[in-house]
Amino acid sequence: MKQVDFQRSLQGGADGFAPPPTIWQKLHLDPWLMLPFLLLMGYGLIILYSASEGDMGYVERQALRFLMAFMVMWGFAWIPPRYLRNIAPWLYAFVVGLLLAVLLVGVGAKGAQRWLEIPGLPRFQPAELMKLVLPMTIALWLSNKKIPPRFSHIIIGLLIIAIPVLMIAKQPDLGTSILIAASGVFAILLAGVPWRWVLLALGAAISALPGLWMVMREYQRQRVLTFLDPESDPLGSGWNIIQSKTAIGSGGLFGKGWMAGTQSQLHFLPESHTDFIVAVLGEEFGFVGIAVLLCLYMMILARGLYLSTQAEDLFGRLLSGSLVLTFFVYIFVNIGMVSGLLPVVGVPLPLVSYGGTSVVTLMTSFGMVMSVYSHRSRQGLMHK
């Protein structure tokens, strides 16, 4: 009898009942993830106000987008992961069909054909949907296989990734194609791919660079050449990165002060409220300001990865982990290109750059992460 009572106490109390769920579990939200998100959004609005030269219209519209993105995130946090698992292949086929429609009848702007216009609906970019659908599909594919995956399973996974990535690169949209490819590749790597295969893949990718150069468009080649030597055309293609590096370097340790940056306020810095907004931060708040930004990002990444490790099944772990690591790619690529460490590819700084589509996409992805964790927590408590 004592042995039975002891086992029941280990399983959730003397009566064998799970403890009642907390208010956060009932809301399907994680407070330790929400806190840095809210701090980052507030920080981003402060920077945006300066980058837009005190235009409250930008700030109000961005705040409204944050509110809408939060509601979408919360809605996805309520969806049980099993539903995401069931609809993943159908969503993948549907979005691939939309990407094909973009290539055939899509709407173009500034030399790119990336949008669809459907009567009665606002113009939208199907590639944004693939940022969420592809990691779901790869996670589903690998969760049904033995781990670590066999070589043939990895090849099929890479083909699943290649189809939408090549279609998006054709639009052309190099920045989005990189993010989508990363989301799928992370899911494969998290499944336990042997390191020797990873090294072989990296070697193959490096050896393919000359061939990639041959198929790149002229403006893409120019971006690479500008990255290697921006001073070769200081008043043309090199202008953006030169002004960005000047702004960041002139900020020093503590910066010039809020709304006191010369590069941004005097219009030397292009796209100061979108892709190059971190240069505004570096000029006005200096190294300390950028360090605060990176700390907020690190809090989000650390908590997101922790939640992914607590997933109840392989599908949840692969999906959550790949979404969180894709968020890291956003940060790495944007800050890398603005500081001159990477070519300019047009990736916004998450939750700081002005814009709505990327905000909704990112918050939706973290809604999925919280769904995987919160539903697993409730089920785990019920089984204790």
Side-chain angles (χ1 to χ4, degrees):
M1 178 63 70
K2 292 182 178 180
Q3 180 66 23
V4 173
D5 290 340
F6 176 72
Q7 290 177 350
R8 292 174 64 186
S9 66
L10 290 178
Q11 294 173 352
D15 296 327
F17 293 107
T22 66
I23 183 63
W24 293 108
Q25 289 171 333
K26 292 179 180 179
L27 294 174
H28 293 273
L29 294 175
D30 182 73
W32 300 112
L33 187 57
M34 291 303 304
L35 178 60
F37 265 132
L38 294 175
L39 292 175
L40 179 61
M41 289 176 179
Y43 198 38
L45 292 177
I46 293 173
I47 302 167
L48 178 62
Y49 183 80
S50 178
S52 62
E53 301 178 60
D55 189 339
M56 278 301 298
Y58 279 96
V59 177
E60 291 171 357
R61 287 191 293 272
Q62 188 73 348
L64 184 61
R65 288 164 175 167
F66 283 155
L67 178 60
M68 181 178 66
F70 175 82
M71 298 306 295
V72 173
M73 178 202 70
W74 195 16
F76 270 83
W78 279 82
I79 300 176
R82 65 178 181 274
Y83 292 128
L84 300 176
R85 183 187 183 106
N86 292 339
I87 66 174
W90 305 104
L91 286 177
Y92 177 83
F94 175 69
V95 179
V96 167
L98 292 179
L99 291 175
L100 180 60
V102 169
L103 296 177
L104 297 177
V105 296
V107 178
K110 298 182 180 180
Q113 188 168 313
R114 304 174 184 174
W115 296 270
L116 276 182
E117 282 190 352
I118 299 176
L121 295 176
R123 187 175 70 172
F124 68 100
Q125 192 173 353
E128 291 294 326
L129 299 175
M130 190 55 76
K131 292 178 182 178
L132 304 172
V133 173
L134 185 60
M136 291 169 54
T137 307
I138 297 297
L140 173 63
W141 167 251
L142 293 177
S143 65
N144 294 325
K145 306 295 182 293
K146 184 179 179 181
I147 298 301
R150 296 169 55 184
F151 184 74
S152 59
H153 297 154
I154 294 176
I155 294 298
I156 295 175
L158 292 175
L159 290 176
I160 295 173
I161 296 171
I163 293 172
V165 168
L166 293 176
M167 296 175 75
I168 294 168
K170 183 71 174 178
Q171 294 177 2
D173 190 350
L174 182 59
T176 301
S177 64
I178 290 174
L179 292 171
I180 291 174
S183 68
V185 170
F186 281 136
I188 293 178
L189 293 177
L190 290 173
V193 177
W195 277 107
R196 63 180 183 276
W197 293 1
V198 176
L199 295 176
L200 287 174
L202 288 175
I206 293 174
S207 63
L209 289 178
L212 178 62
W213 177 265
M214 298 301 296
V215 300
M216 291 174 64
R217 294 173 180 257
E218 184 58 35
Y219 81 93
Q220 293 171 336
R221 295 180 183 178
Q222 186 59 50
R223 285 183 177 180
V224 175
L225 294 175
T226 301
F227 160 69
L228 296 174
D229 185 14
E231 283 75 18
S232 62
D233 188 11
L235 299 180
S237 59
W239 174 267
N240 291 7
I241 189 61
I242 290 174
Q243 297 304 318
S244 177
K245 290 164 67 175
T246 301
I248 294 174
S250 64
L253 183 59
F254 296 105
K256 300 175 181 177
W258 188 44
M259 299 190 70
T262 54
Q263 299 300 115
S264 56
Q265 301 300 324
L266 298 179
H267 304 285
F268 287 101
L269 183 65
E271 306 293 338
S272 59
H273 64 294
T274 53
D275 293 349
F276 285 83
I277 196 169
V278 74
V280 179
L281 172 63
E283 183 180 27
E284 298 185 358
F285 292 91
F287 173 81
V288 172
I290 293 181
V292 171
L293 178 71
L294 294 179
C295 285
L296 291 174
Y297 281 139
M298 287 299 297
M299 291 170 65
I300 294 173
L301 290 169
R303 184 61 181 176
L305 290 175
Y306 170 77
L307 297 184
S308 68
T309 63
Q310 302 303 304
E312 197 167 45
D313 57 19
L314 182 59
F315 172 79
R317 288 194 292 273
L318 296 181
L319 175 61
S320 299
S322 61
L323 291 174
V324 174
L325 291 175
T326 303
F327 182 76
F328 165 76
V329 175
Y330 270 93
I331 303 166
F332 178 78
V333 172
N334 179 271
I335 296 180
M337 74 178 189
V338 171
S339 57
L341 300 176
L342 294 173
V344 176
V345 292
V347 173
L349 186 64
L351 304 180
V352 177
S353 293
Y354 180 76
T357 305
S358 64
V359 171
V360 174
T361 303
L362 285 168
M363 295 301 285
T364 300
S365 68
F366 277 93
M368 294 181 182
V369 173
M370 285 191 283
S371 169
V372 169
Y373 179 73
S374 65
H375 285 88
R376 169 253 146 216
S377 294
R378 294 171 69 87
Q379 294 170 6
L381 289 172
M382 291 174 61
H383 286 89
K384 286 184 178 180

